[in-house]
Amino acid sequence: MNGRSVAAEGGGMTVCGTVWRWRELTSDDHDANGQWRDRLAPWEIHRAAALPVPAVRAAFVAARDLLRTLVAQWSGVSPAEVIIERTEAGAPRIAGYPEVGCSISHAGAVAVVALRTAGPVGIDIEPVNRPLFDVDALVPVACTGAEGAAIRALPVHERTACFLSLWTGKEAVLKALGVGLQTDPRTVAVFPPDQHRCGHAEHAGQRWQLQAITDIPGYVVTLAVPDVLPPATIAS
């Protein structure tokens, strides 16, 4: 027995050299004294212990644990040998592999991570049924003019799905850049702005390829990489 409850999990690979994984949070993730303490680095344990909201702490633990496991599988070392650092902006970075890009995200009861062997990658997840979610209030502070117009042109019942697709695309790009929401999301333009499956994004003159991941029920997930290859498809 390893102390973890059974959780749904999965993943896949894109043709752009990106591997992604997801799993539900477990009872061990939620246990302040769980066995995750044996798998995380001292700074991660300290950071987790300082998080005041138990659900946020559990998500932090799950995401780091999942990324460490994925890197270990890819590199052929044990999870204990994987060192996950933080950049000054707070983005994860794999020590000893400067060319490798990685990204983490969590929402609700799910953590998701992505690993790219050569170059940056970003991934973001949002629950479809988010409580107290006001799309009309968020559009002006998150969307470009074209995106806002596209959302407002949709029937009311379709607006949330469109916004979440756009939003996860924007945040995935900003995570791949290593800056996150320190940068105004309106500086990332998603095209086409009226489709629930994003095609590409542009930021500061750079084009990014976006891929919707539809394998996780109840969640919208988008992965972003620099647009240097043909459109990626997710392996089933």
Side-chain angles (χ1 to χ4, degrees):
M1 298 291 290
N2 60 8
R4 301 193 204 186
S5 58
V6 177
E9 61 184 3
M13 177 181 291
T14 71
V15 296
C16 58
T18 299
V19 180
W20 57 274
R21 294 287 186 272
W22 72 275
R23 74 166 173 84
E24 291 182 334
L25 276 59
T26 67
S27 58
D28 187 67
D29 298 326
H30 285 279
D31 185 350
N33 297 307
Q35 293 184 18
W36 56 265
R37 287 177 171 270
D38 298 330
R39 301 188 295 274
L40 269 59
W43 77 264
E44 292 171 315
I45 296 173
H46 179 76
R47 173 89 184 277
L51 294 171
V53 180
V56 174
R57 183 188 65 232
F60 174 90
V61 166
R64 266 66 184 179
D65 188 30
L66 185 59
L67 178 59
R68 181 171 276 102
T69 300
L70 177 57
V71 173
Q73 293 172 345
W74 165 76
S75 62
V77 303
S78 69
E81 296 176 87
V82 176
I83 300 175
I84 303 174
E85 300 175 331
R86 293 180 71 205
T87 66
E88 291 184 1
R93 177 175 59 197
I94 309 302
Y97 298 96
E99 76 286 357
V100 173
C102 65
S103 184
I104 64 176
S105 186
H106 47 77
V110 171
V112 61
V113 302
L115 184 73
R116 186 168 181 241
T117 56
V121 61
I123 196 166
D124 190 56
I125 181 172
E126 295 289 345
V128 172
N129 296 316
R130 190 167 185 168
L132 304 177
F133 194 78
D134 188 345
V135 172
D136 292 335
L138 290 171
V139 165
V141 297
C143 296
T144 65
E147 293 163 351
I151 290 174
R152 287 188 290 270
L154 292 171
V156 173
H157 69 277
E158 294 182 12
R159 292 179 184 176
T160 296
C162 184
F163 177 83
L164 289 175
S165 181
L166 293 170
W167 175 258
T168 55
K170 289 168 179 283
E171 193 162 0
V173 169
L174 294 176
K175 286 183 176 183
L177 289 168
V179 296
L181 291 177
Q182 297 178 37
T183 297
D184 189 335
R186 291 172 295 186
T187 63
V188 180
V190 175
F191 302 92
D194 58 348
Q195 290 192 7
H196 293 179
R197 288 196 177 191
C198 304
H200 75 277
E202 294 179 4
H203 172 77
Q206 183 178 7
R207 183 178 167 115
W208 292 80
Q209 178 180 304
L210 301 178
Q211 174 65 53
I213 296 174
T214 59
D215 300 54
I216 310 176
Y219 292 86
V220 177
V221 186
T222 303
L223 184 146
V225 296
D227 193 6
V228 294
L229 292 173
T233 57
I234 296 294
S236 58

